[in-house]
Amino acid sequence: MVTLMADTKKLEDVARELLTYPAQAGKLLFQVGKTGERHVLNQLPKLLPQVFGVDAAPAKQALRRRRVRTVYNRDSQQIAIEIAGRPFTLTRFAHSPVRPQLAGKRYKVRAVIYNNRGVQQLRPLVGSDGKLKPVFLAPTLGGYLLFRRTGVFQGARKRVFSVAGGRQVAFRAKAEKLEVLRSLSVPQMITAKQVSDPLMKSLARSIDRKLSSELNKLGGNKA
């Protein structure tokens, strides 16, 4: 989770006006907060693909799941926008191959996370059993995901087969647990200056425009 503190030039002026119009305070803060949330939801899917190898669609999908909210601090002249989210599955980033090969040929899985680093090979990782576990691509109900075996064996699967004379023999085999490879989350990507700096500047401008509009309305009411 990451919190963006947007310093605004107009917040102090609005606070003075709201002393005269206390009934408007809650409504105004709510409207300003929603403006900030909409701005983040709109701008992040545009900024992230410029810096990271993630498409705009999954970034937008992650942000739409009620992961952005406004946190008010009445003691400071700041509007805080809180952004949370889980790490993306690594398959969300650009990768090759896109689909597993149908034949028995071996291939090396490569992924792009940072555009400025180019293509990075996903190297084998050591499992709990001390053996190297290569990364592989496999189909699931939700599409293709990158997995590795963990070296942890759990449960048991019962296999039944026929032999001569029609007799069936059953045996149990432990299944090795798989792990879906995950990478950066939206909050982690925001910590990159290439993302946070332009986002903070545009967020402050957006909130100031909203506050200026509300100030004009209050001024009209005052007259």
Side-chain angles (χ1 to χ4, degrees):
M1 183 175 66
V2 66
T3 302
L4 302 178
M5 306 296 291
D7 292 305
T8 63
K9 299 176 182 178
K10 297 290 184 181
L11 198 55
E12 186 175 359
D13 296 336
V14 172
R16 283 197 296 267
E17 290 290 343
L18 290 177
L19 292 176
T20 311
Y21 299 98
Q24 298 286 341
K27 181 180 178 181
L28 188 148
L29 289 175
F30 177 81
Q31 292 173 341
V32 171
K34 288 300 178 183
T35 297
E37 291 176 20
R38 286 193 296 268
H39 184 82
V40 169
L41 290 170
N42 179 263
Q43 291 300 312
L44 273 180
K46 298 176 182 178
L47 289 170
L48 296 182
Q50 299 174 18
V51 182
F52 299 93
V54 63
D55 293 330
K60 185 179 295 185
Q61 183 184 30
L63 288 166
R64 292 292 179 188
R65 295 177 179 174
R66 308 300 298 172
R67 298 292 186 182
V68 181
R69 70 187 185 100
T70 305
V71 181
Y72 300 107
N73 186 345
R74 297 187 179 184
D75 297 328
S76 66
Q77 297 175 22
Q78 294 176 321
I79 296 292
I81 306 295
E82 192 176 84
I83 305 167
R86 297 177 180 176
F88 288 170
T89 58
L90 198 55
T91 319
R92 291 289 198 177
F93 295 81
H95 64 279
S96 62
V98 179
R99 298 168 64 94
Q101 296 183 6
L102 297 178
K105 299 178 182 179
R106 293 187 177 184
Y107 59 85
K108 295 179 179 179
V109 180
R110 297 176 180 272
V112 176
I113 298 179
Y114 299 97
N115 285 341
N116 59 354
R117 292 187 187 177
V119 179
Q120 304 291 317
Q121 181 181 329
L122 300 178
R123 301 185 180 278
L125 302 172
V126 178
S128 298
D129 56 1
K131 298 179 181 180
L132 285 176
K133 306 294 180 178
V135 178
F136 62 94
L137 199 61
T140 69
L141 293 177
Y144 290 93
L145 295 178
L146 291 169
F147 292 91
R148 76 175 180 98
R149 293 182 171 84
T150 60
V152 176
F153 293 86
Q154 61 179 13
R157 290 183 295 182
K158 187 175 183 180
R159 296 183 180 180
V160 182
F161 58 94
S162 299
V163 296
R167 192 181 69 171
Q168 292 185 331
V169 178
F171 69 93
R172 292 182 176 272
K174 290 185 178 180
E176 188 171 2
K177 187 178 180 180
L178 300 179
E179 178 185 45
V180 178
L181 294 186
R182 301 185 183 276
S183 185
L184 301 171
S185 64
V186 171
Q188 288 173 315
M189 287 187 273
I190 293 173
T191 60
K193 289 183 65 64
Q194 302 96 314
V195 176
S196 62
D197 286 357
L199 180 61
M200 291 288 287
K201 291 177 181 178
S202 64
L203 177 61
R205 288 195 298 268
S206 176
I207 290 177
D208 272 341
R209 284 195 297 268
K210 179 63 176 177
L211 289 173
S212 293
S213 173
E214 295 301 323
L215 266 177
N216 291 334
K217 294 178 182 178
L218 287 173
N221 291 339
K222 190 173 182 179

